[in-house]
Amino acid sequence: MNPTATHINYYFTCKRKLWLFSHNIKCEHESDFVKIGKIYHEDYDKEKIEIDNIKIDALRDGKVFELKKKNTAPKAAEFQVLYYLYVLKNHGTNTTGIIKYKENNRLQEVMLSEELEKELLEVLKNIELLCREDKPPEAKRIRYCKNCSYYELCFS
Ligand code: SF4
């Protein structure tokens, strides 16, 4: 399996969503939150860098640059950038990353330390195991449900 940034994000926000997504179960509904996020990212479309199965928003002074609308899932954002750094490292490029939060222009530095790399590898292994399960985890109401395209599927 070749995880994408979306797999990493769903691992930290909702494991049921990760399973549904990894089994190609799609819902038509797209929340306003997702639409706004896409509009913000359009600014960076020309700068996107694609390597293997990742798409980096841009490079700034040689650093990975990731734009986020809000700081709603900090661990997901951090591990998304750590994953980019890991893929780049495997291609012979050691660098660091910056997450910019559009809501307040806050910048967060991200570095792939030895310890975080170990944690990332554990996350990647867990993603693979979870996606291989026959059934998704049970639906539980969490803070991310209200903007989730799977809401009807989970709770109707
Ligand atoms: S609606 Fe909630 S429980 Fe269902 S997939 Fe989305 S976030 Fe997960």
Side-chain angles (χ1 to χ4, degrees), residues 32-67:
D32 290 344
F33 189 80
V34 172
K35 283 182 198 152
I36 291 166
K38 282 188 178 169
I39 292 165
Y40 283 145
H41 278 84
E42 277 170 10
D43 295 348
Y44 293 90
D45 272 352
K46 287 191 199 112
E47 295 182 58
K48 274 208 188 319
I49 294 146
E50 293 193 36
I51 308 166
D52 297 344
N53 50 336
I54 61 165
K55 282 185 197 164
I56 297 169
D57 280 347
L59 287 177
R60 292 276 187 277
D61 299 324
K63 293 182 182 184
V64 166
F65 181 82
E66 174 66 23
L67 183 73

Short mmCIF file of all heavy atoms in Angstrom, two decimals, residues 32-67:
data_model
loop_
_atom_site.label_atom_id
_atom_site.label_comp_id
_atom_site.label_asym_id
_atom_site.label_seq_id
_atom_site.Cartn_x
_atom_site.Cartn_y
_atom_site.Cartn_z
N ASP A 32 -18.81 22.69 3.11
CA ASP A 32 -18.28 24.01 2.80
C ASP A 32 -16.83 24.12 3.26
O ASP A 32 -16.01 24.76 2.62
CB ASP A 32 -19.12 25.09 3.52
CG ASP A 32 -20.50 25.18 2.91
OD1 ASP A 32 -20.67 24.66 1.78
OD2 ASP A 32 -21.39 25.75 3.55
N PHE A 33 -16.53 23.46 4.37
CA PHE A 33 -15.18 23.48 4.93
C PHE A 33 -14.16 22.94 3.90
O PHE A 33 -13.12 23.52 3.67
CB PHE A 33 -15.17 22.61 6.19
CG PHE A 33 -13.92 22.70 7.00
CD1 PHE A 33 -13.71 23.76 7.86
CD2 PHE A 33 -12.94 21.71 6.91
CE1 PHE A 33 -12.55 23.84 8.61
CE2 PHE A 33 -11.79 21.79 7.65
CZ PHE A 33 -11.59 22.85 8.51
N VAL A 34 -14.54 21.82 3.27
CA VAL A 34 -13.66 21.20 2.27
C VAL A 34 -13.55 22.11 1.04
O VAL A 34 -12.46 22.31 0.49
CB VAL A 34 -14.18 19.79 1.88
CG1 VAL A 34 -13.39 19.21 0.72
CG2 VAL A 34 -14.09 18.86 3.08
N LYS A 35 -14.70 22.69 0.62
CA LYS A 35 -14.68 23.58 -0.56
C LYS A 35 -13.77 24.78 -0.33
O LYS A 35 -12.98 25.14 -1.19
CB LYS A 35 -16.11 24.09 -0.85
CG LYS A 35 -16.98 23.05 -1.53
CD LYS A 35 -18.34 23.64 -1.83
CE LYS A 35 -19.34 22.52 -2.07
NZ LYS A 35 -20.69 22.87 -1.75
N ILE A 36 -13.87 25.38 0.86
CA ILE A 36 -13.03 26.54 1.17
C ILE A 36 -11.55 26.13 1.14
O ILE A 36 -10.71 26.83 0.59
CB ILE A 36 -13.41 27.15 2.54
CG1 ILE A 36 -14.80 27.78 2.44
CG2 ILE A 36 -12.41 28.21 2.98
CD1 ILE A 36 -15.43 28.12 3.77
N GLY A 37 -11.27 24.97 1.72
CA GLY A 37 -9.89 24.47 1.73
C GLY A 37 -9.34 24.33 0.31
O GLY A 37 -8.20 24.69 0.04
N LYS A 38 -10.19 23.85 -0.61
CA LYS A 38 -9.74 23.67 -2.00
C LYS A 38 -9.46 25.03 -2.65
O LYS A 38 -8.51 25.17 -3.42
CB LYS A 38 -10.81 22.93 -2.80
CG LYS A 38 -10.80 21.43 -2.52
CD LYS A 38 -11.70 20.69 -3.46
CE LYS A 38 -11.62 19.20 -3.17
NZ LYS A 38 -12.65 18.44 -3.85
N ILE A 39 -10.30 26.02 -2.35
CA ILE A 39 -10.08 27.36 -2.92
C ILE A 39 -8.75 27.93 -2.44
O ILE A 39 -7.96 28.44 -3.22
CB ILE A 39 -11.25 28.31 -2.55
CG1 ILE A 39 -12.51 27.84 -3.28
CG2 ILE A 39 -10.93 29.76 -2.93
CD1 ILE A 39 -13.80 28.44 -2.77
N TYR A 40 -8.47 27.79 -1.15
CA TYR A 40 -7.18 28.27 -0.63
C TYR A 40 -6.01 27.60 -1.35
O TYR A 40 -5.02 28.23 -1.68
CB TYR A 40 -7.06 27.97 0.87
CG TYR A 40 -7.85 28.91 1.75
CD1 TYR A 40 -8.44 28.45 2.91
CD2 TYR A 40 -7.99 30.25 1.43
CE1 TYR A 40 -9.17 29.30 3.73
CE2 TYR A 40 -8.71 31.11 2.24
CZ TYR A 40 -9.29 30.63 3.39
OH TYR A 40 -10.00 31.47 4.19
N HIS A 41 -6.16 26.30 -1.59
CA HIS A 41 -5.05 25.56 -2.19
C HIS A 41 -4.88 25.87 -3.67
O HIS A 41 -3.81 25.62 -4.22
CB HIS A 41 -5.23 24.05 -1.96
CG HIS A 41 -4.77 23.63 -0.61
ND1 HIS A 41 -5.56 23.74 0.49
CD2 HIS A 41 -3.57 23.16 -0.19
CE1 HIS A 41 -4.88 23.33 1.56
NE2 HIS A 41 -3.68 22.98 1.18
N GLU A 42 -5.93 26.46 -4.31
CA GLU A 42 -5.80 26.80 -5.73
C GLU A 42 -4.65 27.78 -5.95
O GLU A 42 -3.98 27.76 -6.97
CB GLU A 42 -7.11 27.41 -6.26
CG GLU A 42 -8.12 26.34 -6.64
CD GLU A 42 -9.49 26.90 -6.94
OE1 GLU A 42 -9.63 28.14 -7.04
OE2 GLU A 42 -10.42 26.09 -7.06
N ASP A 43 -4.41 28.65 -4.96
CA ASP A 43 -3.31 29.63 -5.06
C ASP A 43 -1.97 28.93 -5.28
O ASP A 43 -1.04 29.50 -5.82
CB ASP A 43 -3.17 30.45 -3.75
CG ASP A 43 -4.38 31.31 -3.50
OD1 ASP A 43 -5.19 31.44 -4.43
OD2 ASP A 43 -4.51 31.83 -2.38
N TYR A 44 -1.87 27.69 -4.79
CA TYR A 44 -0.59 26.99 -4.82
C TYR A 44 -0.52 25.91 -5.91
O TYR A 44 0.49 25.23 -6.01
CB TYR A 44 -0.30 26.35 -3.45
CG TYR A 44 -0.07 27.41 -2.40
CD1 TYR A 44 -1.12 27.90 -1.66
CD2 TYR A 44 1.21 27.94 -2.20
CE1 TYR A 44 -0.93 28.90 -0.72
CE2 TYR A 44 1.41 28.94 -1.27
CZ TYR A 44 0.34 29.41 -0.54
OH TYR A 44 0.54 30.40 0.38
N ASP A 45 -1.61 25.84 -6.70
CA ASP A 45 -1.67 24.75 -7.67
C ASP A 45 -0.46 24.71 -8.60
O ASP A 45 0.04 23.65 -8.95
CB ASP A 45 -2.96 24.82 -8.50
CG ASP A 45 -4.09 24.06 -7.79
OD1 ASP A 45 -3.78 23.39 -6.78
OD2 ASP A 45 -5.23 24.15 -8.23
N LYS A 46 0.00 25.92 -9.00
CA LYS A 46 1.12 25.96 -9.96
C LYS A 46 2.44 25.55 -9.31
O LYS A 46 3.40 25.22 -9.97
CB LYS A 46 1.25 27.37 -10.54
CG LYS A 46 0.15 27.69 -11.53
CD LYS A 46 0.45 28.97 -12.28
CE LYS A 46 -0.82 29.50 -12.89
NZ LYS A 46 -1.28 30.74 -12.28
N GLU A 47 2.49 25.65 -7.98
CA GLU A 47 3.75 25.36 -7.28
C GLU A 47 3.81 23.93 -6.75
O GLU A 47 4.80 23.54 -6.15
CB GLU A 47 3.91 26.32 -6.09
CG GLU A 47 4.06 27.77 -6.49
CD GLU A 47 4.27 28.63 -5.27
OE1 GLU A 47 5.24 28.39 -4.52
OE2 GLU A 47 3.45 29.53 -5.04
N LYS A 48 2.74 23.21 -6.91
CA LYS A 48 2.68 21.85 -6.34
C LYS A 48 3.81 20.96 -6.86
O LYS A 48 4.17 21.02 -8.02
CB LYS A 48 1.35 21.20 -6.68
CG LYS A 48 0.26 21.55 -5.71
CD LYS A 48 -0.76 20.45 -5.64
CE LYS A 48 -1.97 20.81 -4.82
NZ LYS A 48 -1.77 21.53 -3.60
N ILE A 49 4.34 20.16 -5.95
CA ILE A 49 5.41 19.23 -6.32
C ILE A 49 4.91 17.82 -6.05
O ILE A 49 4.49 17.52 -4.92
CB ILE A 49 6.67 19.53 -5.50
CG1 ILE A 49 7.19 20.91 -5.88
CG2 ILE A 49 7.75 18.48 -5.71
CD1 ILE A 49 7.81 21.64 -4.76
N GLU A 50 4.95 16.99 -7.07
CA GLU A 50 4.46 15.61 -6.91
C GLU A 50 5.63 14.65 -6.93
O GLU A 50 6.44 14.66 -7.86
CB GLU A 50 3.49 15.26 -8.04
CG GLU A 50 2.21 16.05 -7.98
CD GLU A 50 1.13 15.49 -8.90
OE1 GLU A 50 1.06 14.25 -9.04
OE2 GLU A 50 0.40 16.31 -9.46
N ILE A 51 5.72 13.84 -5.87
CA ILE A 51 6.75 12.80 -5.80
C ILE A 51 6.07 11.54 -5.28
O ILE A 51 5.37 11.60 -4.25
CB ILE A 51 7.89 13.15 -4.82
CG1 ILE A 51 8.45 14.53 -5.13
CG2 ILE A 51 9.00 12.12 -4.88
CD1 ILE A 51 9.32 15.07 -4.03
N ASP A 52 6.30 10.42 -5.94
CA ASP A 52 5.61 9.18 -5.59
C ASP A 52 4.11 9.48 -5.48
O ASP A 52 3.54 9.99 -6.42
CB ASP A 52 6.17 8.59 -4.27
CG ASP A 52 7.65 8.20 -4.41
OD1 ASP A 52 8.12 8.10 -5.56
OD2 ASP A 52 8.31 8.03 -3.37
N ASN A 53 3.55 9.25 -4.30
CA ASN A 53 2.11 9.46 -4.15
C ASN A 53 1.80 10.67 -3.27
O ASN A 53 0.74 10.74 -2.65
CB ASN A 53 1.45 8.20 -3.57
CG ASN A 53 2.19 7.74 -2.36
OD1 ASN A 53 3.38 8.05 -2.22
ND2 ASN A 53 1.54 7.04 -1.48
N ILE A 54 2.75 11.59 -3.17
CA ILE A 54 2.47 12.78 -2.37
C ILE A 54 2.46 14.03 -3.26
O ILE A 54 3.10 14.07 -4.30
CB ILE A 54 3.49 12.98 -1.22
CG1 ILE A 54 4.92 13.15 -1.76
CG2 ILE A 54 3.40 11.83 -0.22
CD1 ILE A 54 5.89 13.68 -0.74
N LYS A 55 1.70 15.05 -2.79
CA LYS A 55 1.65 16.34 -3.49
C LYS A 55 1.94 17.42 -2.47
O LYS A 55 1.13 17.66 -1.56
CB LYS A 55 0.26 16.58 -4.06
CG LYS A 55 -0.02 15.84 -5.33
CD LYS A 55 -1.39 16.26 -5.85
CE LYS A 55 -1.87 15.24 -6.86
NZ LYS A 55 -3.30 15.35 -7.14
N ILE A 56 3.10 18.03 -2.60
CA ILE A 56 3.49 19.07 -1.64
C ILE A 56 2.99 20.41 -2.18
O ILE A 56 3.13 20.70 -3.37
CB ILE A 56 5.03 19.08 -1.50
CG1 ILE A 56 5.49 17.73 -0.92
CG2 ILE A 56 5.49 20.24 -0.63
CD1 ILE A 56 6.99 17.52 -0.97
N ASP A 57 2.38 21.23 -1.29
CA ASP A 57 1.83 22.51 -1.73
C ASP A 57 2.88 23.35 -2.45
O ASP A 57 2.65 23.88 -3.52
CB ASP A 57 1.29 23.32 -0.52
CG ASP A 57 -0.09 22.83 -0.10
OD1 ASP A 57 -0.70 22.09 -0.88
OD2 ASP A 57 -0.54 23.21 0.99
N ALA A 58 4.05 23.49 -1.82
CA ALA A 58 5.12 24.32 -2.41
C ALA A 58 6.40 24.11 -1.61
O ALA A 58 6.37 23.56 -0.51
CB ALA A 58 4.73 25.79 -2.38
N LEU A 59 7.50 24.57 -2.17
CA LEU A 59 8.76 24.65 -1.41
C LEU A 59 9.07 26.12 -1.20
O LEU A 59 8.89 26.94 -2.12
CB LEU A 59 9.91 23.99 -2.17
CG LEU A 59 9.91 22.46 -2.26
CD1 LEU A 59 11.08 21.99 -3.11
CD2 LEU A 59 10.01 21.81 -0.88
N ARG A 60 9.48 26.49 0.01
CA ARG A 60 9.88 27.88 0.32
C ARG A 60 11.29 27.82 0.92
O ARG A 60 11.46 27.23 2.00
CB ARG A 60 8.93 28.51 1.34
CG ARG A 60 7.53 28.74 0.84
CD ARG A 60 7.45 30.07 0.08
NE ARG A 60 6.09 30.38 -0.29
CZ ARG A 60 5.44 29.91 -1.35
NH1 ARG A 60 6.05 29.08 -2.16
NH2 ARG A 60 4.21 30.27 -1.62
N ASP A 61 12.26 28.42 0.24
CA ASP A 61 13.65 28.35 0.70
C ASP A 61 14.07 26.90 0.96
O ASP A 61 14.75 26.61 1.95
CB ASP A 61 13.86 29.18 1.98
CG ASP A 61 13.54 30.64 1.76
OD1 ASP A 61 13.83 31.14 0.66
OD2 ASP A 61 12.99 31.26 2.68
N GLY A 62 13.63 26.02 0.11
CA GLY A 62 14.02 24.60 0.23
C GLY A 62 13.24 23.83 1.29
O GLY A 62 13.48 22.65 1.49
N LYS A 63 12.31 24.53 1.96
CA LYS A 63 11.51 23.84 2.99
C LYS A 63 10.14 23.49 2.44
O LYS A 63 9.57 24.24 1.65
CB LYS A 63 11.30 24.75 4.21
CG LYS A 63 12.57 25.05 4.97
CD LYS A 63 12.23 25.92 6.17
CE LYS A 63 13.51 26.26 6.92
NZ LYS A 63 13.26 27.02 8.12
N VAL A 64 9.60 22.36 2.93
CA VAL A 64 8.24 21.96 2.56
C VAL A 64 7.27 22.98 3.15
O VAL A 64 7.35 23.32 4.33
CB VAL A 64 7.93 20.55 3.12
CG1 VAL A 64 6.46 20.25 3.06
CG2 VAL A 64 8.75 19.50 2.38
N PHE A 65 6.36 23.48 2.31
CA PHE A 65 5.40 24.48 2.77
C PHE A 65 3.99 23.90 2.65
O PHE A 65 3.58 23.48 1.57
CB PHE A 65 5.52 25.73 1.91
CG PHE A 65 4.61 26.84 2.31
CD1 PHE A 65 4.94 27.68 3.35
CD2 PHE A 65 3.40 27.02 1.66
CE1 PHE A 65 4.07 28.71 3.74
CE2 PHE A 65 2.53 28.04 2.03
CZ PHE A 65 2.88 28.89 3.06
N GLU A 66 3.28 23.86 3.77
CA GLU A 66 1.92 23.31 3.77
C GLU A 66 0.96 24.36 4.32
O GLU A 66 1.15 24.88 5.41
CB GLU A 66 1.89 22.04 4.64
CG GLU A 66 0.54 21.42 4.86
CD GLU A 66 -0.11 20.87 3.58
OE1 GLU A 66 0.61 20.55 2.61
OE2 GLU A 66 -1.34 20.78 3.55
N LEU A 67 -0.08 24.65 3.55
CA LEU A 67 -1.06 25.65 3.95
C LEU A 67 -2.28 24.95 4.55
O LEU A 67 -2.82 24.02 3.96
CB LEU A 67 -1.50 26.47 2.74
CG LEU A 67 -2.48 27.59 3.03
CD1 LEU A 67 -1.77 28.75 3.74
CD2 LEU A 67 -3.13 28.08 1.75
#
